[in-house]
Amino acid sequence: MTGINEHYLKLKAGYLFPEIGRRVKAYSEAHPSEKIIRLGIGDVTLPLAPSIVNAMVDAAKEMGSPAGFHGYGPEQGYGFLIQKIIEHDYTKRGVKIDEDEVFVSDGSKCDCGNIQEIFSLDSKIAVVDPVYPVYVDTNVMAGRTGEVDANGRYENIVYMPATEANNFEPDFPKEKADIIYLCYPNNPTGMVASKSRLAEWVSFAKKSGSIILFDSAYESFIQDPEIPKSIYEIPGAKEVAMEFRSFSKTAGFTGTRCAYLVIPKELKGKTSKGEEVSFNSLWARRHTTKFNGVSYITQKGAEAVFSHQGQKEIGEQIAYYMQNAKLIREGLGKAGYTIFGGTNAPYIWLKTAKGMKSWEFFDHLLTNAQVVGTPGSGFGPAGEGYFRLSAFGKREDVISALERIQKL
């Protein structure tokens, strides 16, 4: 009988969001007349902006003509999109990025999960706790960790707790970490990192010889002009960091799938013999071997995001979601909850009521208010006693959910 990858058996019972789905499905089947409001998983609810739709329709028509048909495209992405990405997201911020340092993909989740393949298996990772589960689980699958302990932490991972006690600003790793995962604006806490704090992280990475994997999927929700939207706004960051970006929440591409990863050529690692190698070249090899590229139609839609009209339209959508976040913050505050985040990010992080455990509070809201959120413990041990709500719902659902919660 063929053997299996036994590292998969180390994974906890189930990935967070499928477990949420299982519980909601069971409740819904038992109470078919109840309307459930979902403010848990971070999926958008507004439709694609007209500029994006028109661009994709035009691209589809183009593909239907002999002269305009496109077969396999460049795995790294079409130049027309990469040039817009560089111009809008980097050049305007005084950052120089070359076209061959940008890799277009079908999602930041995929990139965050796959990037670990270009690092040695004995690399030690450090994660903020609570953490986006993909960072941890994919390294468990690869074999970089030991078993999970009773507290939900894996051996050979450095955990950096982010709690109310340290204002959700984790300390630097206390032991050597080769790879440091950072996410700002943060999922799940909704907190952001100041320019001075990011500069400290860059300085730390340089001194420790670490690589920062910077997930900035929610940068478009930053409202404060003093908060950096890219780690490359910090001098020297290109030597120690790669950056993950996504169109999913920015432009509603959760079902359309398009993202990109920036790996500067000066970002280097070492072989076992001490030879320096560019991570850019390693990822280029991996990307072109295992990925066939995002569709032409999708990339034309993504290009439209950067048009003047596209920016106006997605700006209105972001404002809609951030108004939802404001309503949730204010509504929960009136209900007596202690709340965090939601001012520069689409997520609100709250303390559970009456000291309930996170999953206990999940069941409490589902059963008594028919509202679905995300248990904080699902993001790591430091998330126990907290709960995440998403601002991506429809306005009427957000208002209704708050009314239900306030009645509890």
Side-chain angles (χ1 to χ4, degrees), residues 299-311:
Q299 291 192 60
K300 291 301 287 187
E303 181 192 25
V305 169
F306 298 110
S307 68
H308 176 76
Q309 184 62 22
Q311 285 293 292

Side-chain angles (χ1 to χ4, degrees), residues 49 65 75 140 154 157 172 183 190 223 236 249 275 353 399 405:
S65 69
E75 293 97 339
V140 174
Y154 285 93
I157 289 182
F172 301 125
C183 174
Q223 310 292 296
K249 310 303 166 40
E275 301 165 330
I399 293 171
I405 292 172

Side-chain angles (χ1 to χ4, degrees), residues 125-129 158-162 166 168-182 184 193-208 210 212 231:
I125 72 166
V127 297
V128 178
D129 179 13
V158 180
Y159 288 87
M160 304 177 290
N166 59 12
F168 301 97
E169 191 171 274
D171 293 329
F172 301 125
K174 296 293 191 297
E175 55 186 287
K176 169 65 176 176
D178 301 290
I179 304 165
I180 301 171
Y181 288 82
L182 294 179
Y184 289 108
S194 67
K195 192 167 188 177
S196 60
R197 185 56 176 169
L198 281 185
E200 290 174 350
W201 275 109
V202 168
S203 177
F204 175 85
K206 285 187 174 183
K207 291 176 182 175
S208 64
S210 306
I212 296 173
I231 196 170

Side-chain angles (χ1 to χ4, degrees), residues 100-310:
D100 59 357
E101 295 176 320
V102 179
F103 300 84
V104 177
S105 73
D106 59 351
S108 280
K109 178 180 181 179
C110 305
D111 289 341
C112 288
N114 293 329
I115 195 66
Q116 50 79 26
E117 292 185 20
I118 65 173
F119 298 101
S120 66
L121 279 178
D122 60 359
S123 296
K124 178 167 282 192
I125 72 166
V127 297
V128 178
D129 179 13
V131 63
Y132 181 44
V134 172
Y135 307 157
V136 172
D137 287 0
T138 52
N139 279 283
V140 174
M141 293 171 180
R144 285 192 183 85
T145 76
E147 300 292 338
V148 65
D149 65 21
N151 295 317
R153 289 190 170 98
Y154 285 93
E155 298 170 354
N156 208 41
I157 289 182
V158 180
Y159 288 87
M160 304 177 290
T163 64
E164 188 178 2
N166 59 12
N167 197 32
F168 301 97
E169 191 171 274
D171 293 329
F172 301 125
K174 296 293 191 297
E175 55 186 287
K176 169 65 176 176
D178 301 290
I179 304 165
I180 301 171
Y181 288 82
L182 294 179
C183 174
Y184 289 108
N186 185 259
N187 177 19
T189 67
M191 305 300 278
V192 292
S194 67
K195 192 167 188 177
S196 60
R197 185 56 176 169
L198 281 185
E200 290 174 350
W201 275 109
V202 168
S203 177
F204 175 85
K206 285 187 174 183
K207 291 176 182 175
S208 64
S210 306
I211 297 293
I212 296 173
L213 304 186
F214 192 75
D215 185 352
S216 60
Y218 302 96
E219 55 82 22
S220 62
F221 294 89
I222 293 175
Q223 310 292 296
D224 185 343
E226 298 300 314
I227 301 298
K229 291 197 170 190
S230 168
I231 196 170
Y232 299 130
E233 294 178 49
I234 309 301
K238 290 168 68 176
E239 300 169 18
V240 297
M242 55 183 73
E243 183 165 270
F244 302 79
R245 290 287 185 99
S246 174
F247 293 95
S248 285
K249 310 303 166 40
T250 298
F253 274 52
T254 52
T256 309
R257 310 309 301 151
C258 195
Y260 63 93
L261 168 59
V262 177
I263 306 182
K265 289 189 286 289
E266 52 261 61
L267 186 63
K268 304 287 183 64
K270 286 187 177 182
T271 68
S272 58
K273 297 179 180 179
E275 301 165 330
E276 287 192 351
V277 178
S278 168
F279 282 113
N280 178 285
S281 65
L282 296 179
W283 184 252
R285 188 67 173 87
R286 191 266 176 208
H287 199 65
T288 55
T289 300
K290 293 191 174 186
F291 186 62
N292 243 13
V294 175
S295 77
Y296 175 76
I297 295 170
T298 297
Q299 291 192 60
K300 291 301 287 187
E303 181 192 25
V305 169
F306 298 110
S307 68
H308 176 76
Q309 184 62 22

